[in-house]
Amino acid sequence: MSFSDSETSSHGGEYKTFRQTSRDRLLYEMLQTSKSGDSRSSWKVLIMDKVTVKVMSHTCKMADITDQGVSLVEDLFRRRQPLPSLDAIYFIQPSKENVVMFLSDMSGREPLYKKAYVFFSSPVPKDLVNRIKNDTSVLPRIGALREMNLEYFSIDSQGFITDHEMALEELFGENAGNSRRFDACLNVMATRIATVFASLKEFPFVRYKAAKGLDDATMTTSRDLVPTKLAAAIWDNITTYKSSIPNFPQTETCELLIVDRSVDQIAPVIHEWTYDAMCHDLLDLDGNKYVHEVPSKSGGQPERKEVLLEDHDPVWLELRHAHIAEASERLHEKMTNFVSKNKAAQLQQRDGSELSTRDLQKMVQALPQYNEQMEKLSIHVEVVSSFTNVKLSHLVKPIAGKINKIIRDVGLRELGQLEQDLVFGDAGTKEVINFLRTKQEGMCENKLRVLMIYASVYPEKFEGDKALKLMQLAKLSPEDMKAVKNMKLVEGSDSRKASSGTFSLKFDSAKRKHAARKDRTGEEETWALFRFYPVIEELIEKLSKGDLPKDEYQCMNNPSPSNGGSKRSTGASQAAPVKAGQSTAPHSMRSRRTATWARPRSSDDGYSSDSVLRNASNDFKKMGQRMFVFIIGGATRSELRVCHKLTAKLRREVVLGTTSMDDPPQYLTKLKLLSEMDLSVDNNNKF
C-alpha cells in the first residue's frame, strides 16, 4: 500500500501545459495504474463525491474515462448495486463522511467491490489514515491509498477556479471579518490552490498584494488582509508538500502572484469586445453551453441542440480572443474558402444541369466531411448573401450574426466608446451626463456599468447627494446603486474621517489624474474599442521582469540574491533566444496579427483551423518558468485572454487562477450582495 503523491515531475522531458498535466495525472496516474494482477476483467467502477466529480468533468471527457477501463461512474452517497467481481477506484475528498462511507462499502463479509483503489484529492488528516488502517477487514481489500493532491477545476488550457462562487461576499462583505465562513473560505481556497503546485511539481515564489500602509486617517480591515492571509495559508501547505512529496523541488521553479478584485474594478464591468467575452456577456449561455434550434429532419417543430464553446471546437479555439469584427471577417473568409475547395459545396452550387456519375461520386466522397465541417462553421458564421446559392437548409442562426444584431439593436458601439474614453481620460462628467440624458430608456445594466467605470475614475463625483442625482438621472433603483456603493467594500481601507451616513467612493486621499489607464506603447490597435487592457497585464509583465514594487507586493519566500531575487534572470530569456534579424517588438493581441498560439495553419480542405489543436502544444516547447496569477473575488474573460497573450509574448506559460469566472451580470449580482441594507435617502439627501 502506497501513500504518496505522483512521482511524475513536470520538469524535464517534453513540456506539458497546465491542463495537459492535470488530465494526464487523472487518466494515467490514477485510472490506468489502478489495476490488480489477478483481475479477470479490466473494467472498473469509478466512485466520486460532489467535488471530485466536478474536478474530473472540468478536466476529462467521459470518453477519456471509459478508455481507461471505467464501465460505471457512481456517486459516493447514492445507493449502489454490489459489484463484487469488479475493482473500484475512489476519487474523494479526505473528509470524515467520505471515509466512513468508503469503509462501509468495503467492510463485512460481502463488500460492494472486489478491491478498492483510494485516491484523495488533497492531504489526508492523520486521524483518518489511522481510522482506515485500524479497520482490519478493509485493509486487505485496499489496492492503493494515495494523495492525488488535485482539487482544482480546470476551466481553460491556462486557467482554473477554486469554485468559490460566494468568495466576494464571504471575504469582502460588510460583516465578513466576523464570520466563521471567512476563515473556512480562505482555508479551502488555500488547500485547492496548493494542490495546483503539488500536481505540477512546482515550488513557487509566493507574492501577494500587501495591505495598505497605516496612517492616522485609515484603519486596516479584514478585507485588506485577504491576500496576505491567503498567501500565508498557501505557503504553509506548500512547505508541507516540500517535505512530504517525493521529488518535489527544493528551490523555486515558478512565480505565484496573489491579488484581489480591488486591483481592477473596471475589468469586471467594461464591455470586452472579443468573441469569447461577447458570447458570455450578450448571449444566454449556461456556462460554456450554447443552446440553439435546428430544423427537424422530419419537418416538424425545430429541435433544440446544445453546443459547447470549448477547446475541442477548433473554430472557437482560433477565434475566441479575436475582436468580434475580426472574428466576423475571418468566419466569412473561412466559409468562402471552404465552399471554394469542398467538392460537395461546389456541386451544390451548380446550375440545373445534370450531374455525371463522376460528379456524383465526388460529391458522395466529400459529403461526410462537408456536413461535419459545415456544421462546425455554421454555429459561428453569419451566412451572408454571397452564399445564398448554397443549399444550407440545416443551418442555424449563427452566434456571430446574433451578437452583431444585439450590438446594433442596443447601440453598444456608442456605449463602448464612452467606456473606453472614460478609462483613458478622454471623456468625463459632461459625456456621462449627456449619455444618461439621451439614453433614458436604455438597459439599466448598461447604465449601471457606465456609472461604475465613472466611479472608478472620478470617485469624488459620488460624494454626498451627487450619487443620488446620478441615480435619478440614470433612472436606476437604490438596489442597482448598491453595486456602485459596494465598490468601496472591495477597495478596503475604511476612512475614519468620512462623515457618517455619506456615500463616499474616495478610494485614497492622493490626487489622481482622471484616467485609469495609459495607452500601451508599441502596440498598434487596428480595431476600434480594443484599447482597454486589464491591470493584471501590467502586473504580469512587471513580475516577469522583476519590477513589482516590493512594498506593494511582498514575498513569502524572502528570496536572497543567491537563489534568485526580484531582479533574477528569468527562464523567458534563457528559453527564447532572439535569432539574427528577428523582431523583438511586443506582440499585441489587439492588432490584426494573430499570436502564434492561435494562428491558423493552412490545409487542403478549406477549413484551416482544424490544425490548431494538433499544433497548439508545439508552441509550449522550450518555455521559461511558469507564472501563476490568482485573483480573489472572481476573474474576467479579458484577464484570461491576457494570460494567453503574454504566454506567447514572454515565452512563459501564464496560468490564471481565481475563485470564480464571472461575466458582468454575475459580477453585478455578487457585488450587490456585499451589503445587506438597502440604500435609503435621509433628510439631507445623502446615502
Side-chain angles (χ1 to χ4, degrees), residues 218-258:
T218 59
M219 59 181 178
T220 300
T221 67
S222 61
R223 294 183 288 273
D224 296 306
L225 297 172
V226 168
T228 306
K229 290 184 175 183
L230 181 61
I234 292 171
W235 180 251
D236 286 344
N237 281 283
I238 289 176
T239 50
T240 301
Y241 287 144
K242 187 179 176 182
S243 59
S244 63
I245 295 179
N247 303 320
F248 195 84
Q250 299 301 299
T251 57
E252 290 82 354
T253 61
C254 65
E255 303 266 11
L256 167 63
L257 175 63
I258 301 168

Short mmCIF file of all heavy atoms in Angstrom, two decimals, residues 218-258:
data_model
loop_
_atom_site.label_atom_id
_atom_site.label_comp_id
_atom_site.label_asym_id
_atom_site.label_seq_id
_atom_site.Cartn_x
_atom_site.Cartn_y
_atom_site.Cartn_z
N THR A 218 -6.66 56.15 8.27
CA THR A 218 -7.20 54.87 7.80
C THR A 218 -6.98 53.78 8.84
O THR A 218 -6.09 53.87 9.69
CB THR A 218 -6.53 54.43 6.49
OG1 THR A 218 -5.12 54.31 6.72
CG2 THR A 218 -6.79 55.42 5.38
N MET A 219 -7.80 52.77 8.75
CA MET A 219 -7.61 51.60 9.59
C MET A 219 -7.71 50.35 8.72
O MET A 219 -8.53 50.29 7.81
CB MET A 219 -8.65 51.56 10.71
CG MET A 219 -10.10 51.54 10.24
SD MET A 219 -11.23 51.52 11.64
CE MET A 219 -12.80 51.56 10.78
N THR A 220 -6.86 49.41 9.00
CA THR A 220 -6.84 48.19 8.21
C THR A 220 -8.02 47.30 8.62
O THR A 220 -8.29 47.11 9.80
CB THR A 220 -5.53 47.42 8.43
OG1 THR A 220 -4.45 48.25 8.03
CG2 THR A 220 -5.50 46.16 7.59
N THR A 221 -8.71 46.78 7.62
CA THR A 221 -9.83 45.88 7.87
C THR A 221 -9.45 44.46 7.46
O THR A 221 -8.40 44.23 6.85
CB THR A 221 -11.06 46.31 7.05
OG1 THR A 221 -10.78 46.12 5.66
CG2 THR A 221 -11.40 47.77 7.31
N SER A 222 -10.31 43.52 7.79
CA SER A 222 -10.05 42.13 7.39
C SER A 222 -9.99 42.01 5.87
O SER A 222 -9.27 41.16 5.34
CB SER A 222 -11.15 41.22 7.94
OG SER A 222 -12.42 41.59 7.43
N ARG A 223 -10.74 42.88 5.17
CA ARG A 223 -10.74 42.84 3.71
C ARG A 223 -9.36 43.18 3.15
O ARG A 223 -8.95 42.64 2.12
CB ARG A 223 -11.80 43.80 3.16
CG ARG A 223 -13.22 43.38 3.48
CD ARG A 223 -14.23 44.32 2.86
NE ARG A 223 -14.27 45.63 3.51
CZ ARG A 223 -15.02 45.91 4.58
NH1 ARG A 223 -15.79 44.99 5.10
NH2 ARG A 223 -15.00 47.11 5.11
N ASP A 224 -8.65 44.10 3.81
CA ASP A 224 -7.31 44.48 3.33
C ASP A 224 -6.33 43.32 3.46
O ASP A 224 -5.35 43.25 2.71
CB ASP A 224 -6.78 45.66 4.15
CG ASP A 224 -7.61 46.92 3.97
OD1 ASP A 224 -7.81 47.32 2.81
OD2 ASP A 224 -8.06 47.48 4.98
N LEU A 225 -6.57 42.43 4.40
CA LEU A 225 -5.61 41.37 4.71
C LEU A 225 -5.90 40.05 4.00
O LEU A 225 -5.21 39.07 4.24
CB LEU A 225 -5.59 41.13 6.23
CG LEU A 225 -5.12 42.32 7.08
CD1 LEU A 225 -5.33 42.01 8.56
CD2 LEU A 225 -3.66 42.65 6.81
N VAL A 226 -6.93 40.03 3.15
CA VAL A 226 -7.29 38.78 2.49
C VAL A 226 -6.12 38.19 1.68
O VAL A 226 -5.79 37.01 1.84
CB VAL A 226 -8.55 38.97 1.61
CG1 VAL A 226 -8.76 37.77 0.70
CG2 VAL A 226 -9.78 39.17 2.48
N PRO A 227 -5.46 38.96 0.78
CA PRO A 227 -4.33 38.37 0.04
C PRO A 227 -3.20 37.90 0.96
O PRO A 227 -2.59 36.86 0.71
CB PRO A 227 -3.87 39.51 -0.88
CG PRO A 227 -5.06 40.40 -1.01
CD PRO A 227 -5.74 40.34 0.32
N THR A 228 -2.94 38.67 2.03
CA THR A 228 -1.88 38.30 2.97
C THR A 228 -2.18 36.97 3.65
O THR A 228 -1.33 36.07 3.75
CB THR A 228 -1.71 39.40 4.04
OG1 THR A 228 -1.50 40.66 3.40
CG2 THR A 228 -0.54 39.09 4.95
N LYS A 229 -3.42 36.82 4.13
CA LYS A 229 -3.80 35.59 4.82
C LYS A 229 -3.82 34.39 3.87
O LYS A 229 -3.41 33.29 4.25
CB LYS A 229 -5.18 35.77 5.47
CG LYS A 229 -5.18 36.73 6.65
CD LYS A 229 -6.54 36.78 7.33
CE LYS A 229 -6.49 37.64 8.58
NZ LYS A 229 -7.78 37.67 9.30
N LEU A 230 -4.28 34.62 2.66
CA LEU A 230 -4.30 33.52 1.69
C LEU A 230 -2.88 33.09 1.34
O LEU A 230 -2.60 31.89 1.26
CB LEU A 230 -5.05 33.93 0.42
CG LEU A 230 -5.15 32.86 -0.66
CD1 LEU A 230 -5.90 31.64 -0.16
CD2 LEU A 230 -5.82 33.41 -1.92
N ALA A 231 -1.99 34.06 1.16
CA ALA A 231 -0.59 33.74 0.83
C ALA A 231 0.04 32.91 1.94
O ALA A 231 0.76 31.93 1.69
CB ALA A 231 0.20 35.02 0.60
N ALA A 232 -0.22 33.29 3.19
CA ALA A 232 0.35 32.56 4.33
C ALA A 232 -0.18 31.12 4.38
O ALA A 232 0.58 30.18 4.64
CB ALA A 232 0.03 33.30 5.62
N ALA A 233 -1.47 30.96 4.12
CA ALA A 233 -2.06 29.61 4.16
C ALA A 233 -1.53 28.75 3.02
O ALA A 233 -1.26 27.55 3.22
CB ALA A 233 -3.59 29.72 4.08
N ILE A 234 -1.38 29.33 1.84
CA ILE A 234 -0.81 28.58 0.71
C ILE A 234 0.63 28.18 1.03
O ILE A 234 1.05 27.05 0.76
CB ILE A 234 -0.87 29.42 -0.58
CG1 ILE A 234 -2.32 29.62 -1.03
CG2 ILE A 234 -0.07 28.76 -1.70
CD1 ILE A 234 -2.48 30.61 -2.17
N TRP A 235 1.38 29.10 1.59
CA TRP A 235 2.78 28.83 1.93
C TRP A 235 2.89 27.67 2.92
O TRP A 235 3.77 26.81 2.77
CB TRP A 235 3.42 30.10 2.49
CG TRP A 235 4.86 29.94 2.86
CD1 TRP A 235 5.41 29.90 4.10
CD2 TRP A 235 5.96 29.77 1.95
NE1 TRP A 235 6.76 29.72 4.04
CE2 TRP A 235 7.13 29.65 2.73
CE3 TRP A 235 6.06 29.73 0.57
CZ2 TRP A 235 8.39 29.48 2.16
CZ3 TRP A 235 7.32 29.56 0.00
CH2 TRP A 235 8.46 29.43 0.79
N ASP A 236 2.01 27.63 3.90
CA ASP A 236 2.03 26.53 4.87
C ASP A 236 1.81 25.19 4.17
O ASP A 236 2.48 24.20 4.47
CB ASP A 236 0.93 26.74 5.93
CG ASP A 236 1.29 27.84 6.91
OD1 ASP A 236 2.47 28.23 6.96
OD2 ASP A 236 0.38 28.33 7.62
N ASN A 237 0.86 25.14 3.25
CA ASN A 237 0.59 23.91 2.51
C ASN A 237 1.77 23.49 1.65
O ASN A 237 2.13 22.31 1.59
CB ASN A 237 -0.65 24.10 1.62
CG ASN A 237 -1.96 23.98 2.38
OD1 ASN A 237 -2.41 22.89 2.71
ND2 ASN A 237 -2.56 25.12 2.67
N ILE A 238 2.37 24.47 0.96
CA ILE A 238 3.45 24.14 0.03
C ILE A 238 4.71 23.70 0.77
O ILE A 238 5.42 22.78 0.32
CB ILE A 238 3.74 25.35 -0.89
CG1 ILE A 238 2.57 25.52 -1.86
CG2 ILE A 238 5.04 25.16 -1.66
CD1 ILE A 238 2.66 26.72 -2.76
N THR A 239 4.98 24.30 1.92
CA THR A 239 6.16 23.86 2.69
C THR A 239 5.97 22.43 3.19
O THR A 239 6.94 21.68 3.33
CB THR A 239 6.43 24.82 3.87
OG1 THR A 239 5.22 25.02 4.62
CG2 THR A 239 6.92 26.16 3.37
N THR A 240 4.71 22.05 3.46
CA THR A 240 4.44 20.67 3.83
C THR A 240 4.70 19.74 2.65
O THR A 240 5.30 18.66 2.80
CB THR A 240 2.98 20.52 4.31
OG1 THR A 240 2.76 21.37 5.43
CG2 THR A 240 2.68 19.07 4.69
N TYR A 241 4.23 20.13 1.47
CA TYR A 241 4.48 19.34 0.26
C TYR A 241 5.97 19.18 0.01
O TYR A 241 6.44 18.13 -0.44
CB TYR A 241 3.84 20.01 -0.95
CG TYR A 241 2.33 19.92 -1.02
CD1 TYR A 241 1.58 20.98 -1.53
CD2 TYR A 241 1.65 18.79 -0.59
CE1 TYR A 241 0.19 20.90 -1.61
CE2 TYR A 241 0.28 18.71 -0.67
CZ TYR A 241 -0.45 19.76 -1.17
OH TYR A 241 -1.81 19.68 -1.25
N LYS A 242 6.70 20.23 0.29
CA LYS A 242 8.14 20.23 0.01
C LYS A 242 8.85 19.09 0.74
O LYS A 242 9.82 18.51 0.22
CB LYS A 242 8.72 21.58 0.43
CG LYS A 242 10.17 21.80 0.04
CD LYS A 242 10.62 23.19 0.48
CE LYS A 242 12.10 23.41 0.19
NZ LYS A 242 12.57 24.74 0.66
N SER A 243 8.35 18.75 1.92
CA SER A 243 8.99 17.69 2.71
C SER A 243 8.29 16.34 2.59
O SER A 243 8.85 15.32 2.99
CB SER A 243 9.04 18.11 4.19
OG SER A 243 7.73 18.35 4.69
N SER A 244 7.07 16.32 2.04
CA SER A 244 6.32 15.06 2.04
C SER A 244 6.16 14.43 0.66
O SER A 244 5.94 13.21 0.57
CB SER A 244 4.92 15.29 2.64
OG SER A 244 4.18 16.21 1.85
N ILE A 245 6.24 15.20 -0.41
CA ILE A 245 6.04 14.65 -1.75
C ILE A 245 7.38 14.27 -2.37
O ILE A 245 8.29 15.11 -2.44
CB ILE A 245 5.32 15.66 -2.66
CG1 ILE A 245 3.90 15.92 -2.14
CG2 ILE A 245 5.26 15.18 -4.10
CD1 ILE A 245 3.11 16.92 -2.95
N PRO A 246 7.53 13.04 -2.81
CA PRO A 246 8.79 12.64 -3.44
C PRO A 246 9.10 13.50 -4.67
O PRO A 246 8.20 13.83 -5.45
CB PRO A 246 8.53 11.17 -3.84
CG PRO A 246 7.41 10.72 -2.96
CD PRO A 246 6.57 11.93 -2.71
N ASN A 247 10.35 13.85 -4.82
CA ASN A 247 10.84 14.61 -5.98
C ASN A 247 10.25 16.01 -6.09
O ASN A 247 10.29 16.63 -7.15
CB ASN A 247 10.57 13.86 -7.29
CG ASN A 247 11.17 12.48 -7.30
OD1 ASN A 247 12.29 12.27 -6.82
ND2 ASN A 247 10.43 11.50 -7.83
N PHE A 248 9.68 16.51 -5.00
CA PHE A 248 9.18 17.88 -5.05
C PHE A 248 10.37 18.83 -5.03
O PHE A 248 11.33 18.63 -4.29
CB PHE A 248 8.27 18.17 -3.84
CG PHE A 248 7.46 19.42 -3.99
CD1 PHE A 248 6.26 19.39 -4.69
CD2 PHE A 248 7.88 20.62 -3.45
CE1 PHE A 248 5.49 20.53 -4.84
CE2 PHE A 248 7.12 21.77 -3.59
CZ PHE A 248 5.92 21.73 -4.29
N PRO A 249 10.36 19.87 -5.88
CA PRO A 249 11.52 20.78 -5.97
C PRO A 249 11.85 21.41 -4.62
O PRO A 249 10.94 21.75 -3.85
CB PRO A 249 11.06 21.84 -6.98
CG PRO A 249 9.94 21.22 -7.73
CD PRO A 249 9.27 20.27 -6.80
N GLN A 250 13.11 21.58 -4.35
CA GLN A 250 13.56 22.20 -3.11
C GLN A 250 13.93 23.66 -3.31
O GLN A 250 14.18 24.38 -2.33
CB GLN A 250 14.74 21.42 -2.53
CG GLN A 250 14.41 19.97 -2.19
CD GLN A 250 13.27 19.84 -1.18
OE1 GLN A 250 13.38 20.32 -0.05
NE2 GLN A 250 12.17 19.21 -1.58
N THR A 251 13.99 24.09 -4.54
CA THR A 251 14.21 25.51 -4.84
C THR A 251 13.09 25.99 -5.76
O THR A 251 12.43 25.20 -6.43
CB THR A 251 15.57 25.74 -5.54
OG1 THR A 251 15.61 24.94 -6.74
CG2 THR A 251 16.72 25.36 -4.63
N GLU A 252 12.90 27.29 -5.79
CA GLU A 252 11.77 27.87 -6.51
C GLU A 252 11.85 27.59 -8.01
O GLU A 252 12.92 27.72 -8.62
CB GLU A 252 11.68 29.37 -6.26
CG GLU A 252 11.26 29.76 -4.85
CD GLU A 252 12.40 29.75 -3.84
OE1 GLU A 252 13.52 29.33 -4.22
OE2 GLU A 252 12.18 30.15 -2.68
N THR A 253 10.71 27.22 -8.58
CA THR A 253 10.65 26.89 -10.02
C THR A 253 9.67 27.76 -10.79
O THR A 253 9.59 27.67 -12.02
CB THR A 253 10.23 25.42 -10.21
OG1 THR A 253 8.92 25.24 -9.64
CG2 THR A 253 11.21 24.47 -9.55
N CYS A 254 8.87 28.58 -10.09
CA CYS A 254 7.85 29.38 -10.77
C CYS A 254 7.46 30.57 -9.90
O CYS A 254 8.00 30.74 -8.80
CB CYS A 254 6.62 28.52 -11.08
SG CYS A 254 5.75 27.94 -9.60
N GLU A 255 6.54 31.37 -10.39
CA GLU A 255 6.07 32.56 -9.68
C GLU A 255 4.57 32.44 -9.42
O GLU A 255 3.82 31.99 -10.28
CB GLU A 255 6.30 33.82 -10.53
CG GLU A 255 7.74 34.06 -10.95
CD GLU A 255 8.47 34.97 -9.99
OE1 GLU A 255 7.93 35.24 -8.90
OE2 GLU A 255 9.58 35.41 -10.33
N LEU A 256 4.14 32.85 -8.24
CA LEU A 256 2.72 32.98 -7.93
C LEU A 256 2.47 34.39 -7.40
O LEU A 256 3.12 34.82 -6.44
CB LEU A 256 2.29 31.94 -6.88
CG LEU A 256 0.90 32.17 -6.25
CD1 LEU A 256 -0.21 32.07 -7.29
CD2 LEU A 256 0.66 31.18 -5.11
N LEU A 257 1.54 35.09 -8.03
CA LEU A 257 1.14 36.42 -7.57
C LEU A 257 -0.32 36.37 -7.15
O LEU A 257 -1.19 35.97 -7.92
CB LEU A 257 1.33 37.46 -8.69
CG LEU A 257 0.85 38.87 -8.38
CD1 LEU A 257 1.64 39.47 -7.22
CD2 LEU A 257 0.95 39.77 -9.61
N ILE A 258 -0.59 36.78 -5.90
CA ILE A 258 -1.95 36.76 -5.36
C ILE A 258 -2.45 38.19 -5.22
O ILE A 258 -1.81 39.02 -4.55
CB ILE A 258 -1.98 36.07 -3.99
CG1 ILE A 258 -1.47 34.63 -4.10
CG2 ILE A 258 -3.39 36.08 -3.40
CD1 ILE A 258 -1.21 33.97 -2.76
#
